[in-house]
Amino acid sequence: MAKAKILVVDDEEDILELLEYNLVREDYEVIRAVEGEEAIKIAQQERPDMILLDIMLPSVDGVEVCRRIRALPNGAHPYIVFLTARSEEYSEIAGLEAGGDDYITKPIKPRLLLTRINAVLRRDRKPTRTQETPTVLRIGELEINREQYVVRNGATRLNLPKKEFELLVFLASHPGKVFSREVLLEKVWGTNVHVVDRTIDVHIRKLRGKIGKHWIQTVQGVGYKFAEPI
């Protein structure tokens, strides 16, 4: 099995060295970048499996880097994990809304960080197709291709970030069934990755903006459900 490739983006040399040392010990291939424009170029050329991304970067900040990588038309879907000293709630929300999959605050705890990285990448390699869920889901004007990671909303093609796509697939595979935030976090993010409940709300809001508000419905005090076909 090929090594997973991780792009580490930070403008502090000691942080880069610490992360590279620990990741290489775990048998990951590591690429380094020290500023935003460089990170975007490397992401487009190298297609890493994951990006560890600081927010406070020269030239382009990490939130904008994340947003621009998510908009790249190359079909790549890296996990993007913010690793930053910015602990304010608004920074975390901005990172998630830009397409981040997780948000970890410094100081770095290498073993904890590696545990979370390992869990995410192991889950990514598991087969995603099941006997119950077809490769292509068609619901009304929506067409969801699970192998190509492509969604079509009528004539519009949408390239969604990985977690938005996986959340949409899960909900659309169970139309009419209500899921709590806790269940959605477990089913889509897994049990070994620490993310907060508002992560679900951020991703739901972004999905509604792209596919239409009527598809994903809120059940007050319970959670969310995908609309049943009419």
Side-chain angles (χ1 to χ4, degrees):
M1 182 181 295
K3 293 181 181 180
K5 186 185 300 184
I6 299 179
L7 170 60
V8 181
V9 188
D10 202 298
D11 62 341
E12 297 185 40
E13 183 65 26
D14 58 339
I15 296 291
L16 288 173
E17 290 181 357
L18 174 64
L19 290 171
E20 182 172 19
Y21 172 77
N22 284 279
L23 290 169
V24 169
R25 286 187 63 187
E26 291 290 306
D27 205 30
Y28 291 121
E29 178 182 349
V30 177
I31 314 167
R32 294 163 52 158
V34 297
E35 56 92 22
E37 291 289 357
E38 179 189 16
I40 295 167
K41 182 183 294 186
I42 291 174
Q44 192 166 22
Q45 294 172 345
E46 298 289 340
R47 296 195 177 198
D49 300 286
M50 175 179 284
I51 301 173
L52 297 180
L53 181 61
D54 192 13
I55 285 183
M56 295 179 287
L57 294 170
S59 75
V60 181
D61 69 65
V63 173
E64 180 62 19
V65 169
C66 179
R67 187 177 293 113
R68 286 169 59 178
I69 288 174
R70 289 303 188 207
L72 290 174
N74 62 1
H77 297 274
Y79 283 103
I80 298 180
V81 176
F82 285 99
L83 185 59
T84 177
R86 298 290 296 271
S87 59
E88 308 94 342
E89 182 177 357
Y90 69 82
S91 294
E92 182 172 355
I93 292 172
L96 295 173
E97 288 186 334
D101 295 294
D102 202 355
Y103 193 100
I104 304 171
T105 55
K106 297 175 182 177
I108 296 168
K109 299 177 181 178
R111 293 312 310 169
L112 177 60
L113 176 64
L114 288 168
T115 297
R116 289 164 71 165
I117 290 172
N118 291 340
V120 169
L121 292 175
R122 278 200 307 270
R123 186 176 70 250
D124 192 40
R125 291 193 176 100
K126 292 179 182 178
T128 56
R129 187 168 65 180
T130 65
Q131 292 181 346
E132 293 78 15
T133 306
T135 300
V136 179
L137 294 170
R138 294 183 177 87
I139 312 102
E141 291 292 306
L142 286 180
E143 180 181 295
I144 306 168
N145 190 310
R146 303 176 72 240
E147 288 188 346
Q148 296 179 3
Y149 269 79
V150 170
V151 176
R152 295 185 185 277
N153 187 11
T156 303
R157 174 181 168 129
L158 305 173
N159 290 308
L160 302 180
K162 187 187 292 275
K163 283 303 170 195
E164 286 182 37
F165 183 86
E166 292 175 353
L167 180 59
L168 176 61
V169 168
F170 182 77
L171 287 169
S173 299
H174 305 86
K177 185 173 181 178
V178 182
F179 294 96
S180 68
R181 291 173 177 82
E182 292 79 10
V183 169
L184 292 173
L185 284 171
E186 178 182 346
K187 295 296 184 181
V188 179
W189 275 261
T191 57
N192 294 320
V193 178
H194 174 72
V195 288
V196 295
D197 286 354
R198 65 172 170 271
T199 301
I200 293 293
D201 300 329
V202 168
H203 283 70
I204 292 291
R205 184 166 66 250
K206 292 178 70 176
L207 278 173
R208 284 171 168 165
K210 295 171 183 176
I211 67 173
K213 295 181 179 180
H214 62 287
W215 284 114
I216 302 177
Q217 301 171 355
T218 300
V219 180
Q220 292 295 332
V222 183
Y224 295 102
K225 69 176 182 178
F226 198 84
E228 295 185 72
I230 298 175

